[in-house]
Short mmCIF file of all heavy atoms in Angstrom, two decimals:
data_model
loop_
_atom_site.label_atom_id
_atom_site.label_comp_id
_atom_site.label_asym_id
_atom_site.label_seq_id
_atom_site.Cartn_x
_atom_site.Cartn_y
_atom_site.Cartn_z
N ASN A 195 53.75 32.30 -4.09
CA ASN A 195 53.40 32.40 -5.51
C ASN A 195 53.77 33.73 -6.13
O ASN A 195 53.55 33.96 -7.32
CB ASN A 195 51.91 32.11 -5.72
CG ASN A 195 51.01 33.03 -4.89
OD1 ASN A 195 51.40 34.14 -4.53
ND2 ASN A 195 49.81 32.56 -4.58
N GLY A 196 54.31 34.65 -5.33
CA GLY A 196 54.84 35.90 -5.84
C GLY A 196 53.88 37.06 -5.95
O GLY A 196 54.31 38.19 -6.21
N VAL A 197 52.58 36.84 -5.71
CA VAL A 197 51.65 37.95 -5.90
C VAL A 197 51.82 39.04 -4.84
O VAL A 197 51.41 40.18 -5.04
CB VAL A 197 50.17 37.47 -5.92
CG1 VAL A 197 49.90 36.55 -7.09
CG2 VAL A 197 49.79 36.83 -4.61
N LEU A 200 53.37 42.22 -6.10
CA LEU A 200 52.71 42.96 -7.17
C LEU A 200 51.99 44.19 -6.63
O LEU A 200 51.62 44.24 -5.44
CB LEU A 200 51.70 42.07 -7.88
CG LEU A 200 52.25 40.81 -8.56
CD1 LEU A 200 51.09 40.00 -9.14
CD2 LEU A 200 53.24 41.19 -9.66
N PRO A 202 48.70 46.51 -5.91
CA PRO A 202 47.41 46.00 -5.45
C PRO A 202 46.41 45.75 -6.58
O PRO A 202 45.62 44.80 -6.50
CB PRO A 202 46.91 47.09 -4.49
CG PRO A 202 47.73 48.30 -4.80
CD PRO A 202 49.06 47.79 -5.27
N ASP A 203 46.41 46.57 -7.63
CA ASP A 203 45.46 46.33 -8.71
C ASP A 203 45.77 45.04 -9.44
O ASP A 203 44.86 44.31 -9.87
CB ASP A 203 45.44 47.51 -9.68
CG ASP A 203 46.80 47.79 -10.31
OD1 ASP A 203 47.83 47.50 -9.67
OD2 ASP A 203 46.82 48.30 -11.45
N GLN A 204 47.05 44.69 -9.55
CA GLN A 204 47.42 43.44 -10.18
C GLN A 204 47.10 42.24 -9.28
O GLN A 204 46.72 41.17 -9.76
CB GLN A 204 48.90 43.44 -10.56
CG GLN A 204 49.24 44.41 -11.68
CD GLN A 204 50.68 44.25 -12.15
OE1 GLN A 204 51.25 43.17 -12.11
NE2 GLN A 204 51.27 45.35 -12.58
N ILE A 205 47.24 42.42 -7.98
CA ILE A 205 46.85 41.35 -7.05
C ILE A 205 45.36 41.07 -7.19
O ILE A 205 44.92 39.92 -7.28
CB ILE A 205 47.18 41.73 -5.59
CG1 ILE A 205 48.70 41.90 -5.40
CG2 ILE A 205 46.66 40.67 -4.63
CD1 ILE A 205 49.08 42.41 -4.02
N GLN A 206 44.57 42.14 -7.24
CA GLN A 206 43.12 41.97 -7.39
C GLN A 206 42.80 41.28 -8.71
O GLN A 206 41.94 40.38 -8.76
CB GLN A 206 42.41 43.33 -7.33
CG GLN A 206 40.91 43.22 -7.52
CD GLN A 206 40.19 44.52 -7.29
OE1 GLN A 206 39.47 44.68 -6.31
NE2 GLN A 206 40.35 45.46 -8.20
N SER A 207 43.49 41.65 -9.77
CA SER A 207 43.25 41.03 -11.07
C SER A 207 43.60 39.55 -11.05
O SER A 207 42.86 38.71 -11.57
CB SER A 207 44.07 41.75 -12.15
OG SER A 207 43.90 41.13 -13.40
N ARG A 208 44.72 39.21 -10.41
CA ARG A 208 45.16 37.81 -10.34
C ARG A 208 44.17 36.97 -9.53
O ARG A 208 43.85 35.83 -9.89
CB ARG A 208 46.55 37.72 -9.72
CG ARG A 208 47.67 38.32 -10.57
CD ARG A 208 48.08 37.41 -11.70
NE ARG A 208 49.22 37.95 -12.43
CZ ARG A 208 50.49 37.67 -12.14
NH1 ARG A 208 50.77 36.85 -11.13
NH2 ARG A 208 51.47 38.21 -12.84
N THR A 209 43.71 37.53 -8.40
CA THR A 209 42.81 36.74 -7.55
C THR A 209 41.45 36.57 -8.21
O THR A 209 40.81 35.51 -8.08
CB THR A 209 42.69 37.36 -6.14
OG1 THR A 209 42.12 36.39 -5.26
CG2 THR A 209 41.83 38.60 -6.13
N ARG A 210 40.98 37.57 -8.94
CA ARG A 210 39.73 37.43 -9.67
C ARG A 210 39.87 36.38 -10.77
O ARG A 210 38.96 35.58 -11.00
CB ARG A 210 39.30 38.76 -10.27
CG ARG A 210 38.70 39.75 -9.28
CD ARG A 210 37.53 39.18 -8.53
NE ARG A 210 36.48 38.71 -9.41
CZ ARG A 210 35.41 39.44 -9.76
NH1 ARG A 210 35.27 40.66 -9.28
NH2 ARG A 210 34.49 38.95 -10.55
N GLY A 211 41.02 36.39 -11.44
CA GLY A 211 41.25 35.39 -12.48
C GLY A 211 41.26 33.99 -11.92
O GLY A 211 40.70 33.06 -12.51
N ALA A 212 41.91 33.82 -10.76
CA ALA A 212 41.96 32.50 -10.12
C ALA A 212 40.56 32.05 -9.71
O ALA A 212 40.18 30.90 -9.92
CB ALA A 212 42.89 32.54 -8.90
N ALA A 213 39.78 32.97 -9.12
CA ALA A 213 38.43 32.63 -8.68
C ALA A 213 37.53 32.29 -9.86
O ALA A 213 36.76 31.33 -9.81
CB ALA A 213 37.83 33.78 -7.88
N ASP A 214 37.64 33.06 -10.94
CA ASP A 214 36.78 32.84 -12.10
C ASP A 214 37.07 31.50 -12.77
O ASP A 214 36.17 30.91 -13.38
CB ASP A 214 36.96 33.98 -13.11
CG ASP A 214 36.36 35.29 -12.63
OD1 ASP A 214 35.56 35.27 -11.68
OD2 ASP A 214 36.70 36.35 -13.20
N VAL A 355 44.45 37.43 0.12
CA VAL A 355 44.72 36.61 -1.06
C VAL A 355 45.82 35.60 -0.72
O VAL A 355 46.85 35.96 -0.13
CB VAL A 355 45.15 37.50 -2.24
CG1 VAL A 355 45.51 36.65 -3.46
CG2 VAL A 355 44.06 38.51 -2.58
N ARG A 360 47.66 28.73 -6.02
CA ARG A 360 46.98 29.76 -6.82
C ARG A 360 46.53 30.90 -5.90
O ARG A 360 46.17 30.68 -4.74
CB ARG A 360 45.79 29.17 -7.57
CG ARG A 360 46.17 28.04 -8.53
CD ARG A 360 45.18 27.95 -9.67
NE ARG A 360 45.27 29.14 -10.51
CZ ARG A 360 44.40 29.44 -11.48
NH1 ARG A 360 43.37 28.64 -11.70
NH2 ARG A 360 44.53 30.54 -12.20
N PRO A 361 46.52 32.13 -6.41
CA PRO A 361 46.18 33.28 -5.57
C PRO A 361 44.68 33.44 -5.36
O PRO A 361 44.07 34.45 -5.72
CB PRO A 361 46.76 34.46 -6.35
CG PRO A 361 46.69 34.03 -7.78
CD PRO A 361 46.96 32.56 -7.77
N TYR A 362 44.08 32.45 -4.72
CA TYR A 362 42.65 32.51 -4.46
C TYR A 362 42.33 33.50 -3.35
O TYR A 362 43.11 33.66 -2.40
CB TYR A 362 42.13 31.13 -4.03
CG TYR A 362 42.12 30.09 -5.11
CD1 TYR A 362 42.81 28.88 -4.94
CD2 TYR A 362 41.41 30.28 -6.30
CE1 TYR A 362 42.78 27.91 -5.93
CE2 TYR A 362 41.39 29.31 -7.29
CZ TYR A 362 42.08 28.12 -7.09
OH TYR A 362 42.06 27.15 -8.07
N PRO A 363 41.17 34.14 -3.41
CA PRO A 363 40.71 34.95 -2.27
C PRO A 363 40.33 34.02 -1.12
O PRO A 363 39.68 33.00 -1.33
CB PRO A 363 39.49 35.69 -2.82
CG PRO A 363 39.01 34.85 -3.96
CD PRO A 363 40.22 34.19 -4.54
#
Side-chain angles (χ1 to χ4, degrees):
N195 56 25
V197 296
L200 299 176
D203 59 331
Q204 291 187 31
I205 297 174
Q206 179 173 250
S207 177
R208 293 282 185 92
T209 196
R210 284 304 304 265
D214 289 344
V355 177
R360 300 207 66 190
Y362 290 124

